[in-house]
């Protein structure tokens, strides 16, 4: 979505979806950084998608400790919100939103079924983490598994107080959960796009402007002045091409056309040979 947002014009709905994805990712990344302070022995696994009895459910962060598994649902909501009759509303627009506590309950129920299928017995505790410091929730019930921004530090301190020593049983469970994870979400929908409609060229990795030019061995952005080595820029754009067109072969002519810059094909070939495995030794050589 980041790549498409730069290389094509997204609809308002697509921009909204993309914005929510960025906010969610930002919140999860911030939570990951905070969890690095955890002591003792624990496995922390992110971004899991499971299927149990034909039902899919996602877990943002799963923490395996000695005798308990914590499921964390990270929300990066901002502004003033309130709960009324178990329904979540935003004060600024009075719109109703999905109550993350209800979603968490479903997730926890399905995860318990998954553990049961694996013949594993663990205490499971789940929490909705509102991580944005500019989030306020009015009428928050005390009996719900909600961690507000002002409670987050204390939550981590309390978690750290719980002794945790892991053994081979915990390791095997972690490995099994990772193996069961679905790497592709069947409900993910991307905007329709094809190669011809996407803007070609190297853009600035800092400000995303296409106003870049080559000076000596660097791409230099005319908009923000950022420098990026030609080698790194070719690699970055090759990876972008690989993500957007996973079924297409990576070739020197293909990356040359994708970069659409004042580059020598021999330079591109050298970078690809150094960082990928060349298949074939003729003009039809491609890289993996």
């Amino acid at each position: 979505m980041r790549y498409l947002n730069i290389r094509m014009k997204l609809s308002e709905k697509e921009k909204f979806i993309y914005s929510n994805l960025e906010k969610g990712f930002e919140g999860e990344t911030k939570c990951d950084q905070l969890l690095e302070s955890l002591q003792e022995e624990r496995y922390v696994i992110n971004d899991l998608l499971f299927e149990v009895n034909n039902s899919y459910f996602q877990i943002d962060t799963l923490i395996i400790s000695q005798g308990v598994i914590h499921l964390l649902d990270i929300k990066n909501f901002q502004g003033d919100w309130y709960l009324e009759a178990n329904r979540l509303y935003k004060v600024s627009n009075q719109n109703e939103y999905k109550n993350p506590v209800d979603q968490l309950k479903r997730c926890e129920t399905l995860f318990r079924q998954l553990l049961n299928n694996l013949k594993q017995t663990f205490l499971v505790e789940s929490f909705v983490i509102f991580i944005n410091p500019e989030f306020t929730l009015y009428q928050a019930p005390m009996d719900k598994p909600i961690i507000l921004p002002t409670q987050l530090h204390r939550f981590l301190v309390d978690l750290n107080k719980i002794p945790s020593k892991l053994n081979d049983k915990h390791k095997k469970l972690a490995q099994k959960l990772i193996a069961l994870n679905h790497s592709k979400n069947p409900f993910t929908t991307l905007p329709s796009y094809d190669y011809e409609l996407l803007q070609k060229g190297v853009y600035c990795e800092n400000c995303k402007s296409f106003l870049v030019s080559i000076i000596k061995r660097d791409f230099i952005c005319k908009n923000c002045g950022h420098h990026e080595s030609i080698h790194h820029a070719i690699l970055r754009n090759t990876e972008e091409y690989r993500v957007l067109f996973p079924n297409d072969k990576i070739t020197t002519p293909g990356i040359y056309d994708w970069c659409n810059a004042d580059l020598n094909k021999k330079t591109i070939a050298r970078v690809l040979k150094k960082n990928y495995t060349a298949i074939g030794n003729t003009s039809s050589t491609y890289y993996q």
Side-chain angles (χ1 to χ4, degrees), residues 129-141:
I129 308 287
F130 290 102
I131 201 161
N132 196 312
E134 296 185 18
F135 171 83
T136 299
L137 182 63
Y138 295 100
Q139 302 171 188

Side-chain angles (χ1 to χ4, degrees), residues 74-207:
I74 317 301
K75 296 301 180 186
N76 194 20
F77 294 174
Q78 188 173 357
D80 295 329
W81 300 68
Y82 66 95
L83 277 168
E84 189 173 275
N86 204 39
R87 294 178 178 178
L88 181 66
Y89 299 89
K90 191 170 185 179
V91 172
S92 61
N93 56 24
Q94 296 298 306
N95 287 343
E96 181 182 350
Y97 294 81
K98 290 181 180 179
N99 188 338
V101 174
D102 293 337
Q103 294 176 294
L104 186 66
K105 286 179 181 177
R106 174 183 178 274
C107 176
E108 183 177 325
T109 298
L110 290 170
F111 183 72
R112 290 183 195 278
Q113 291 180 24
L114 177 61
L115 286 181
N116 185 59
N117 293 343
L118 296 174
K119 295 180 173 54
Q120 296 284 344
T121 303
F122 275 90
L123 175 66
V124 178
E125 295 181 353
S126 56
F127 297 91
V128 177
I129 308 287
F130 290 102
I131 201 161
N132 196 312
E134 296 185 18
F135 171 83
T136 299
L137 182 63
Y138 295 100
Q139 302 171 188
M142 296 178 64
D143 62 342
K144 299 296 182 182
I146 293 174
I147 306 297
L148 299 172
T150 53
Q151 301 171 314
L152 185 53
H153 175 72
R154 189 163 65 253
F155 172 75
L156 294 174
V157 170
D158 290 342
L159 199 57
N160 262 329
K161 291 179 181 177
I162 304 173
S164 179
K165 297 295 181 182
L166 304 182
N167 54 36
D168 194 52
K169 174 186 175 182
H170 299 93
K171 182 178 180 180
K172 288 181 178 178
L173 174 60
Q175 292 173 333
K176 186 63 177 177
L177 292 175
I178 292 172
L180 290 173
N181 176 51
H182 289 255
S183 57
K184 291 186 178 181
N185 191 330
F187 305 107
T188 298
T189 55
L190 289 172
S192 177
Y193 67 94
D194 60 54
Y195 184 85
E196 297 302 325
L197 296 179
L198 297 183
Q199 183 174 349
K200 314 301 184 297
V202 175
Y203 56 80
C204 174
E205 66 174 343
N206 181 53
C207 71

Side-chain angles (χ1 to χ4, degrees), residues 30-48:
K30 185 175 181 180
C31 184
D32 292 342
Q33 293 169 349
L34 293 173
L35 291 176
E36 289 178 1
S37 67
L38 289 180
Q39 300 164 6
E40 299 292 323
E41 298 176 0
R42 291 181 172 86
Y43 290 123
V44 179
I45 312 175
N46 298 318
D47 299 320
L48 292 168

Side-chain angles (χ1 to χ4, degrees), residues 7 200-203 212-220 228-238 240 251-272:
R7 294 190 180 271
K200 314 301 184 297
V202 175
Y203 56 80
V212 297
S213 57
I214 297 176
I215 299 179
K216 295 183 179 179
R217 297 183 178 181
D218 286 353
F219 277 96
I220 299 179
E228 181 183 19
S229 71
I230 289 176
H231 180 100
H232 186 271
I234 292 173
L235 272 183
R236 177 168 61 85
N237 280 268
T238 300
E240 181 182 42
T251 65
T252 297
I255 299 304
Y256 176 82
D257 186 66
W258 180 248
C259 290
N260 191 29
D262 188 19
L263 290 169
N264 190 302
K265 287 186 179 180
K266 290 183 179 180
T267 301
I268 294 175
R270 280 198 300 270
V271 173
L272 294 178

Side-chain angles (χ1 to χ4, degrees), residues 1-11 14-15 18 190-200 203 210 240 244-245 258:
M1 287 296 285
R2 281 176 178 167
Y3 297 154
L4 294 177
N5 183 53
I6 294 169
R7 294 190 180 271
M8 66 180 282
K9 184 175 178 61
L10 299 180
S11 67
E14 290 164 347
K15 287 181 181 178
Y18 169 59
L190 289 172
S192 177
Y193 67 94
D194 60 54
Y195 184 85
E196 297 302 325
L197 296 179
L198 297 183
Q199 183 174 349
K200 314 301 184 297
Y203 56 80
F210 280 91
E240 181 182 42
L244 291 174
F245 305 100
W258 180 248

